[in-house]
Amino acid sequence: MIDECLVTEFRIDGDDCPLARATEQVPVAIDASAPQLRADGNVLLHFSSPPDDRLPAVLDDDENIRYLHVTRTDEAYTYRCLSKHPCVVHELVDVGFLVESMQYNNGGATMRGAVVGNDVLRGVMEKAGQTVGIRLQRVYPLRADEESAIGRAWNLTPAQEESLHVAYEMGYFELPRSITADDVADELEISKSAFLERLRRAQQSLFGTLFG
């Protein structure tokens, strides 16, 4: 039995994925669920972004995107579609990467998940390095309390939980407030609008759980 499970975060550039290409044209952050690879090689995608009508237009024009459906609210646009272009994440899954969250921005993707042991981590890095540019941003052992705790108890995504944690640690919720949303967004390496959208969604989940 292998005792060590590592939480990992990668930054990938050079993957010719429709979502990565779209963020080159439209400066938004796309938060995506793990893509589902079908037996025919096509991929089911489910993702969201801050409101911006340019993004659905760009995706609709992409020949690799089919059956695009967009749900629009004032706070976010939620997308479901089929992609004819498998991205590198499927190759990483094949060698042992357990995907938890993905975010596309500036033409690349940040992927967070877990690997079981350093040998698997090396295999994931080697596999990705064969096709795209990859940078390991963070790696740390999975704690015994990590799989239960805050995110699942309050119905938060990993990206929302991270944003709340970083904002709290930096003093964003203090009175008087000592830092700005721009400061937190810079620390998270996302746009201000993406941070505020995560914050609003996290608050909605928290209040929904509290007040039923």
Side-chain angles (χ1 to χ4, degrees):
M1 180 182 294
I2 298 176
D3 294 329
E4 188 175 39
C5 186
L6 302 172
V7 177
T8 57
E9 186 174 286
F10 300 102
R11 174 67 185 182
I12 291 179
D13 294 294
D15 180 20
D16 191 26
C17 169
L19 299 188
R21 290 199 308 269
T23 60
E24 290 181 331
Q25 301 180 57
V26 184
V28 297
I30 296 175
D31 287 310
S33 302
Q36 300 178 46
L37 182 63
R38 302 197 321 183
D40 61 5
N42 292 321
V43 183
L44 299 174
L45 300 178
H46 182 202
F47 53 96
S48 64
S49 74
D52 193 321
D53 287 326
R54 293 173 296 176
L55 183 60
V58 167
L59 292 171
D60 206 30
D61 288 340
D62 192 318
E63 62 181 11
N64 286 303
I65 296 292
R66 301 176 62 196
Y67 310 121
L68 179 68
H69 180 269
V70 186
T71 303
R72 293 174 170 86
T73 69
D74 291 339
E75 294 187 351
Y77 287 3
T78 301
Y79 303 79
R80 293 170 178 84
C81 66
L82 183 145
S83 171
K84 297 188 292 182
H85 186 286
C87 64
V88 71
V89 68
H90 302 294
E91 298 182 34
L92 303 186
V93 169
D94 286 343
V95 293
F97 182 53
L98 307 172
V99 184
E100 290 187 1
S101 66
M102 302 170 60
Q103 184 181 87
Y104 294 88
N105 58 16
N106 300 320
T110 299
M111 301 182 184
R112 186 177 185 273
V115 296
V116 181
N118 282 290
D119 289 342
V120 176
L121 175 60
R122 283 192 291 269
V124 171
M125 295 290 289
E126 290 171 1
K127 185 66 175 180
Q130 293 171 8
T131 56
V132 296
I134 183 169
R135 183 170 71 253
L136 183 62
Q137 293 187 316
R138 290 192 296 174
V139 58
Y140 59 90
L142 181 70
R143 299 184 299 272
D145 63 343
E146 184 152 350
E147 291 188 281
S148 60
I150 300 171
R152 296 191 181 183
W154 296 96
N155 196 28
L156 301 176
T157 68
Q160 291 165 7
E161 183 180 353
E162 179 189 30
S163 296
L164 282 176
H165 181 77
V166 170
Y168 178 78
E169 290 294 327
M170 293 181 67
Y172 182 76
F173 300 110
E174 293 177 358
L175 293 175
R177 182 174 290 167
S178 58
I179 62 167
T180 67
D182 287 306
D183 296 327
V184 182
D186 288 343
E187 179 68 20
L188 291 166
E189 298 183 349
I190 60 176
S191 67
K192 176 183 176 181
S193 62
F195 164 64
L196 292 175
E197 190 263 337
R198 287 186 189 179
L199 187 61
R200 284 192 293 268
R201 282 173 168 259
Q203 289 172 329
Q204 183 180 32
S205 294
L206 290 168
F207 296 154
T209 303
L210 281 172
F211 303 121

